[in-house]
Amino acid sequence: MGTKGSYTGNGTPASKQLQHNVTQWLDALAGSGPGAPPPQLNTDQLIPALGLFRPSGGHADGPGGEAGGVGGGGSGGGAQRSIARSSRTAGRAAAAAYAYRTGNAQALQELGLDYAQLQAAAADPIDWTRRIVDAACGPLADGTIEDQERRFVASEVAQWVLEAGTDSAPPSPDEVVRETLALIIFEAVISETASKMNDGSRPAWATSDGERQLRETARALADRASLTITGPSPTEITQAVEEGITAMRSIWMEP
């Protein structure tokens, strides 16, 4: 499959629309003159990213889309993302980090983690994160774009849960789920648009600021999701993440 730097997108209508939206905005950002207010990316421009994820029993891409063809949800060479797989690994990583943050040894044990061992590893953030990611993702092949995204999201969300809030006030389960949704969306967007964002046609500052705005806009999109989160357990967080992506996709992409 290669890496994000050489990946040109999965070729589906959702990917092409997303690439169009992002590159048009990025060109406008790069072309903004000194003192001119830079154009802001809006959440509607990222909605096609929801079509990159295949619902249970369905196709990626939304109405009228082709899951096969050039690397779609079929046997092509593009990322074959599914809502269920992305939600499961990201949700388990978020739940594991939350359990560690709140001292819930039983929840960690359910994920195959030991609280005392994680405490001992806390001095080495890389080792701590690796343990969380391994427990959340299991033996992923690391050879596909989707595998790379799932591991990166698991790592990012674990670190966010560990550091967000204050020592006495960790983020709420709702905040954890929204950040997880945002990271899933952001990583898919970055993968699908990376080759066009980094083609050397724009100044480095525009690409850097563009990535920052993409992350912020993914969070704003996740904030629009209607969530029902009942608790911080691995099952509850994973279910809330999956339902959140499914609901957003259904509301904004499907008739």
Side-chain angles (χ1 to χ4, degrees):
M1 175 72 72
T3 62
K4 290 181 184 179
S6 60
Y7 178 58
T8 58
N10 68 12
T12 59
S15 176
K16 292 176 181 178
Q17 184 62 57
L18 180 66
Q19 290 179 352
H20 172 78
N21 291 352
V22 170
T23 54
Q24 288 281 304
W25 161 74
L26 198 58
D27 286 341
L29 177 65
S32 59
Q40 298 297 304
L41 186 69
N42 64 65
T43 55
D44 288 347
Q45 290 169 286
L46 290 193
I47 284 177
L50 299 171
L52 300 172
F53 296 89
R54 184 175 66 254
S56 178
H59 299 295
D61 222 36
E66 296 290 340
V70 186
S75 59
Q80 300 177 45
R81 304 173 183 89
S82 83
I83 293 175
R85 287 196 301 268
S86 296
S87 300
R88 182 177 184 274
T89 51
R92 284 168 59 88
Y98 192 88
Y100 175 79
R101 181 78 187 269
T102 57
N104 190 337
Q106 182 177 349
L108 286 170
Q109 190 173 19
E110 292 175 10
L111 292 166
L113 292 163
D114 181 89
Y115 181 67
Q117 290 178 356
L118 280 178
Q119 278 188 309
D124 182 350
I126 294 177
D127 184 33
W128 183 91
T129 303
R130 178 190 59 78
R131 291 170 184 261
I132 296 286
V133 172
D134 287 348
C137 298
L140 293 180
D142 285 333
T144 67
I145 291 295
E146 185 186 15
D147 289 344
Q148 292 177 33
E149 287 177 12
R150 289 163 67 193
R151 284 196 175 276
F152 197 83
V153 169
S155 173
E156 286 282 288
V157 75
Q159 283 294 322
W160 183 87
V161 173
L162 181 65
E163 298 169 0
T166 65
D167 289 343
S168 59
S172 68
D174 182 273
E175 291 172 321
V176 169
V177 171
R178 291 188 190 280
E179 181 67 14
T180 304
L181 288 171
L183 286 168
I184 291 172
I185 294 168
F186 171 74
E187 277 306 308
V189 170
I190 285 295
S191 292
E192 293 297 314
T193 62
S195 64
K196 293 185 180 296
M197 286 186 67
N198 299 292
D199 62 3
S201 65
R202 307 171 192 86
W205 68 263
T207 301
S208 176
D209 191 52
E211 184 169 327
R212 176 188 61 78
Q213 284 202 48
L214 283 171
R215 187 181 294 271
E216 292 175 355
T217 306
R219 286 195 174 109
L221 184 59
D223 283 343
R224 293 173 58 185
S226 178
L227 299 179
T228 302
I229 172 70
T230 56
S233 73
T235 299
E236 289 166 320
I237 288 181
T238 298
Q239 182 175 343
V241 172
E242 182 170 357
E243 290 177 349
I245 299 177
T246 300
M248 287 192 292
R249 193 181 191 282
S250 176
I251 293 170
W252 294 327
M253 291 207 67
E254 298 176 359

